[in-house]
Amino acid sequence: MSPPEPHENLSPPLAAPVSGAPSMSAPIVTVHSTKLQGATAAALEICDLLDAKPDAVLGLATGGTMVGVYGALVEEVQRRGLDVSRVTTFNLDEYLGLDAGDPRLFRHFMDEHLFVPLGFNDAQVHFPDHVGARPRGADAVDAARQYEEAIQAAGGIDLQLLGIGRNGHIAFNEPGSSPRSRTRVVELHEVTRRDAAETFGGFDETPERAITMGLGTILEARALRVLAFGASKAPVVERLLRGAEDLDIPCTFLRERHGDIAVHLDIEAARLLP
Ligand code: GLP
């Protein structure tokens, strides 16, 4: 199978939004003194959601930004004694071309930071490259279509966590991604591969392809919670909150297309904001 263009929309748009995203209003931006405080704020909101809705559907992200969120979430779920056995999760994305069990898979990251500590079972968690019990290595284009169906069958995502890449990517929606894009196979951008190169022992060893929820898929979640920490994210944070929509900076498609966005920043990530 030849790889598709990064911005190609492989799965047909759903006839209607899964969740009916709320009408537009300005994002709520909170600048925290430390990234731990920002991560904890997001974790506490998730706990409040799980308290109110024990069968909530969570959209989850990976990356260094999320480590503190999941640490705080595990702690707070345990402190409150919440039952998470009815929670369903959908992760944003996964690398293609790695062996099952490779510790660099996002699935491994999630196991380590969240799923194992909270005792999630395989039936609760979903990744786009192998929906539920789907065997790894099955056709990725088919898996992408099934992922959209699985999200819809779960009733849509209640709360979606999002980080931002330095190039403005959201999940693995790289520059050039359509705001209407759906779950699909993508070629990773050079900046994305450079940022991941240390994990993979060099740029040439870094995967070239991944499978990701589309921007259109993400925008259907009922709530979006965006986190960005550190000075390297300041330029994209400025574009996220103040820039015009720009196909080259995918995060710019969030602000005016969703009515329930909260953004958690630390002081460094907010340094270009007025
Ligand atoms: C990866 C993920 C993104 C994440 C980004 C930022 O590329 N696909 O979903 O937002 O990393 O990572 P970090 O939090 O390490 O800066």
Side-chain angles (χ1 to χ4, degrees):
M1 188 191 74
S2 64
E5 289 302 306
H7 49 275
E8 194 176 335
N9 186 3
L10 287 175
S11 307
L14 301 174
V18 173
S19 52
S23 56
M24 305 309 128
S25 59
I28 297 168
V29 182
T30 310
V31 182
H32 302 268
S33 307
T34 65
K35 68 176 183 178
L36 181 61
Q37 284 175 11
T40 302
L44 292 180
E45 185 181 0
I46 295 172
C47 274
D48 290 345
L49 171 64
L50 300 183
D51 229 344
K53 188 179 181 188
D55 61 348
V57 179
L58 300 179
L60 301 177
T62 52
T65 307
M66 297 298 149
V67 171
V69 179
Y70 297 141
L73 183 56
V74 169
E75 211 170 283
E76 187 66 8
V77 164
Q78 290 169 346
R79 198 185 66 77
R80 295 190 198 184
L82 296 178
D83 174 9
V84 293
S85 62
R86 291 163 61 208
V87 171
T88 303
T89 72
F90 288 90
N91 262 82
L92 285 170
D93 47 16
E94 184 58 284
Y95 291 114
L96 290 176
L98 302 180
D99 291 334
D102 190 307
R104 298 161 306 185
L105 283 169
F106 287 155
R107 171 63 202 248
H108 181 87
F109 173 98
M110 294 305 306
D111 282 344
E112 180 184 345
H113 293 287
L114 191 69
F115 298 157
V116 171
L118 290 186
F120 281 27
N121 63 48
D122 278 353
Q124 287 177 271
V125 310
H126 300 80
F127 278 77
D129 64 329
H130 58 135
V131 180
R134 184 187 181 84
R136 185 172 292 278
D139 181 68
V141 174
D142 202 29
R145 187 182 45 77
Q146 288 189 26
Y147 207 53
E148 295 278 338
E149 291 168 0
I151 293 170
Q152 203 170 18
I157 291 171
D158 290 306
L159 184 149
Q160 176 68 59
L161 283 174
L162 297 171
I164 317 180
R166 275 195 309 131
N167 60 359
H169 76 203
I170 294 292
F172 276 139
N173 289 284
E174 300 285 27
S177 295
S178 160
R180 290 183 301 280
S181 54
R182 313 300 308 187
T183 303
R184 67 203 188 286
V185 175
V186 293
E187 298 283 342
L188 295 176
H189 191 261
E190 187 183 333
V191 170
T192 301
R193 292 183 65 219
R194 292 212 177 283
D195 284 348
E198 198 181 320
T199 304
F200 288 94
F203 181 79
D204 291 338
E205 279 66 53
T206 305
E208 293 177 4
R209 299 168 71 212
I211 182 164
T212 183
M213 271 190 214
L215 290 171
T217 321
I218 291 165
L219 283 165
E220 285 171 3
R222 283 181 272 277
L224 302 180
R225 298 295 176 258
V226 185
L227 290 88
F229 305 133
S232 69
K233 300 290 174 74
V236 283
V237 164
E238 201 267 339
R239 299 300 294 266
L240 167 78
L241 294 173
R242 293 166 55 84
E245 290 194 347
D246 183 342
L247 201 58
D248 289 331
I249 307 173
C251 66
T252 58
F253 289 124
L254 298 181
R255 194 182 71 232
E256 290 179 6
R257 292 176 186 251
H258 201 286
D260 184 0
I261 305 186
V263 181
H264 293 284
L265 307 172
D266 66 358
I267 291 167
E268 287 76 25
R271 77 189 161 102
L272 296 180
L273 300 176

